[in-house]
Amino acid sequence: MNIVFLGLPGTGKGTQAEELAGEMGIPHIATGDIFRQAISQGSELGKKAKQYLDSGELVPDEVTCGMVKERLMQEDAASGFILDGFPRTFPQAEALDQIMDELDKELEKIIFFSAPEQVLVKRLAGRRVCSECGATYHIEHNPPSQEGICDKCGGKLIQREDDQEETVIHRLKVNRDKTQQLVDYYRKQGKLTTVEADRSLEEVKKQLKEAVGSP
Ligand code: AMP
């Protein structure tokens, strides 16, 4: 199944995408993760993206769309994928339609993670990620069993630079109108399902499974 997760930063879509993709046996493709990995490897893509990630701005569409197309052409995405963090702009949504046409695929489900913004600021400020494997935690809602240490790989948990409160507020501002535009676009196509993301991890997971029809 070809699925897109839409939503502002901090709605928990990355955590849910990781788990659901694992259960469905399809890749979780998160554009933010691809950029962070490229930056840590010092690749050409990383050099192009770094200044935007540091400031919470969007990486230009021409860089992002080409990268997504390449990723979706890889073999592991042939039987489906969860795209997380893309599209984020209307031109990206149009580019994705074109990529899907070219690959003879269709987007089947668009899941919109909805939550009030004041909740998102709190969530992002409390988020910690593993510096080794990228697993995500929250100091209150989803803490690791041992403080500061990743349950999955034992790596050190850190706060992302762009999860500092000031950058978080800026990121929400950058993404707000664009996300709404995408919600309207996919709603008109009858593909959109809204998930109330301001709930516990388990409750959100339940809504999500209903939305994708997974047992
Ligand atoms: P995320 O991990 O999804 O919060 O993304 C972190 C950062 O990566 C964003 O603040 C942007 O700088 C960049 N980014 C991720 N996805 C996109 C996208 N679809 N378009 C442009 N920039 C993106």
Side-chain angles (χ1 to χ4, degrees):
M1 189 180 280
N2 303 326
I3 306 171
V4 168
F5 278 13
L6 274 188
L8 288 172
T11 43
K13 59 189 178 5
T15 307
Q16 297 287 349
E18 186 66 36
E19 204 169 325
L20 186 63
E23 286 175 20
M24 294 177 81
I26 54 178
H28 166 212
I29 302 175
T31 42
D33 288 350
I34 300 177
F35 285 132
R36 278 184 291 277
Q37 197 186 11
I39 291 170
S40 69
Q41 290 168 345
S43 69
E44 275 311 305
L45 176 67
K47 284 179 198 148
K48 284 186 198 152
K50 186 171 183 340
Q51 55 170 313
Y52 299 102
L53 271 88
D54 285 349
S55 59
E57 297 291 334
L58 292 179
V59 178
D61 286 344
E62 57 272 21
V63 176
T64 310
C65 295
M67 176 187 89
V68 169
K69 183 174 180 187
E70 256 179 50
R71 181 64 188 87
L72 290 177
M73 285 169 72
Q74 287 173 21
E75 213 179 303
D76 65 340
S79 57
F81 53 80
I82 298 181
L83 206 43
D84 162 16
F86 184 94
R88 253 180 162 102
T89 66
F90 190 65
Q92 288 182 7
E94 290 182 315
L96 182 58
D97 287 344
Q98 203 185 332
I99 296 169
M100 290 288 106
D101 274 352
E102 285 169 21
L103 300 179
D104 205 17
K105 293 179 195 281
E106 239 192 275
L107 294 178
E108 290 158 277
K109 291 271 175 198
I110 317 290
I111 312 286
F112 172 51
F113 285 67
S114 168
E117 283 192 29
Q118 58 279 30
V119 173
L120 302 182
V121 175
K122 271 197 175 171
R123 279 204 186 168
L124 288 165
R127 177 159 76 176
R128 297 294 179 270
V129 293
C130 175
S131 55
E132 300 290 327
C133 74
T136 312
Y137 298 87
H138 189 279
I139 49 175
E140 281 169 36
H141 310 302
N142 182 26
S145 15
Q146 201 185 337
E147 201 186 317
I149 307 288
C150 178
D151 288 344
K152 296 191 177 133
C153 76
K156 188 172 168 233
L157 301 186
I158 53 164
Q159 183 174 37
R160 266 169 54 176
E161 193 69 34
D162 61 349
D163 280 345
Q164 312 281 346
E165 190 165 333
E166 224 173 86
T167 316
V168 162
I169 291 168
H170 182 65
R171 281 165 68 206
L172 291 174
K173 182 167 163 265
V174 165
N175 285 287
R176 185 181 301 135
D177 295 347
K178 295 187 170 72
T179 302
Q180 189 54 47
Q181 207 183 359
L182 296 175
V183 166
D184 295 342
Y185 178 65
Y186 289 122
R187 187 172 280 141
K188 276 193 201 123
Q189 296 180 8
K191 288 184 177 169
L192 191 90
T193 307
T194 299
V195 158
E196 298 301 332
D198 182 18
R199 309 262 172 94
S200 70
L201 283 173
E202 280 312 310
E203 279 175 58
V204 176
K205 190 173 172 185
K206 199 167 145 234
Q207 296 178 58
L208 202 50
K209 291 205 158 186
E210 275 170 22
V212 299
S214 154

